[in-house]
Amino acid sequence: MLFLLTGDVQIGKTRWLEDLCASLQAAGTCVAGVVAPGQWVPRPEGQPGGKHGFDGAGRFEKLGIDNVLLPQGERIEFARRRDLAAGGKAFAEGAQAKAAKLGWAISDTAIAQVNAHFAMLAKQAANETKLAPHAMLVVDELGRLELLRGCGLINALAILDAGPTPQFPHAIAVVRETLLDEARRRFEPHWGKVTVIGPDDAARNLVLETARAAGGAH
């Protein structure tokens, strides 16, 4: 089964996904792929948006995005907010993000590193020796580069385009709501009807039960 995790920006999709991955691993499912936590810093009182509510809204500012490669947990800097990358920070924006005029400046070097990771996962899955059976593939996230321009994390796309396999019978991909229809068109011929989820308890329980039924939990 292919799960497409979606929702508005900055509602906690990646934090939810990180917690889900930890629960899957604790239950015996190998989780492989990438999650993309933000680089957040406290926003002082008095700055625009810095008036703190009781729920913490407006308390933090997002400066960049890391990629954490799973299962090993290696962290690399993936993107910087465009205004910061252009302001003399030590971050080299790549040609792919620049051509797409994305809001984030994304490093071509980082894209290559993540693609190399997915290529390694595909090779391990083909050999069926390095990964545990019934692993869960996680891709955070598929955006305009991948779904509209055919670049970005192309090796993640290649694994998803293969559909379910003995090593990856299930997968979760983060997709913005504006790209859901494009994702469906691309992946449903290979996976059948996809399951769209949000970052909530019902979705968490569904994914955990799906992994358990596949034999990943003991």
Side-chain angles (χ1 to χ4, degrees):
M1 182 181 295
L2 174 59
F3 298 96
L4 297 181
L5 173 60
T6 193
D8 290 338
V9 297
Q10 297 188 11
I11 62 169
K13 294 187 297 296
T14 292
R15 288 192 296 274
W16 180 89
L17 185 58
E18 288 178 306
D19 288 342
L20 174 64
C21 289
S23 296
L24 286 165
Q25 291 166 334
T29 296
C30 174
V31 179
V34 64
V35 293
Q39 301 169 358
W40 297 87
V41 297
R43 191 197 306 267
E45 290 270 10
Q47 287 191 359
K51 186 64 177 177
H52 302 162
F54 289 110
D55 62 355
R59 186 165 295 183
F60 296 94
E61 180 181 10
K62 190 174 185 180
L63 304 183
I65 301 169
D66 289 338
N67 270 195
V68 178
L69 309 182
L70 302 173
Q72 67 265 41
E74 179 187 356
R75 182 182 289 258
I76 61 175
E77 186 177 26
F78 190 76
R80 293 283 288 180
R81 208 172 64 201
R82 181 171 295 282
D83 60 318
L84 299 178
K89 299 291 183 180
F91 189 87
E93 180 181 12
Q96 296 180 62
K98 187 177 295 184
K101 299 181 180 179
L102 301 181
W104 294 95
I106 302 175
S107 161
D108 280 349
T109 299
I111 290 175
Q113 287 180 271
V114 179
N115 272 324
H117 175 65
F118 278 106
M120 179 190 69
L121 292 178
K123 183 177 180 180
Q124 291 175 346
N127 292 336
E128 298 187 7
T129 55
K130 298 292 185 180
L131 289 172
H134 313 301
M136 180 74 72
L137 182 72
V138 174
V139 184
D140 183 11
E141 70 178 285
L142 298 177
R144 287 164 52 196
L145 289 182
E146 291 79 17
L147 295 173
L148 299 182
R149 300 179 67 87
C151 56
L153 304 184
I154 57 174
N155 289 342
L157 288 174
I159 298 178
L160 290 171
D161 285 343
T165 64
Q167 286 276 240
F168 292 124
H170 306 296
I172 305 172
V174 179
V175 178
R176 293 194 179 183
E177 290 177 319
T178 54
L179 294 171
L180 269 179
D181 288 344
E182 186 64 34
R184 284 194 178 103
R185 281 194 293 270
R186 178 166 188 141
F187 299 125
E188 284 187 341
H190 311 293
W191 289 86
K193 186 174 177 60
V194 302
T195 300
V196 178
I197 59 174
D200 54 37
D201 289 342
R204 178 182 183 277
N205 292 335
L206 175 61
V207 175
L208 289 172
E209 181 55 38
T210 300
R212 186 177 299 113
H218 306 285

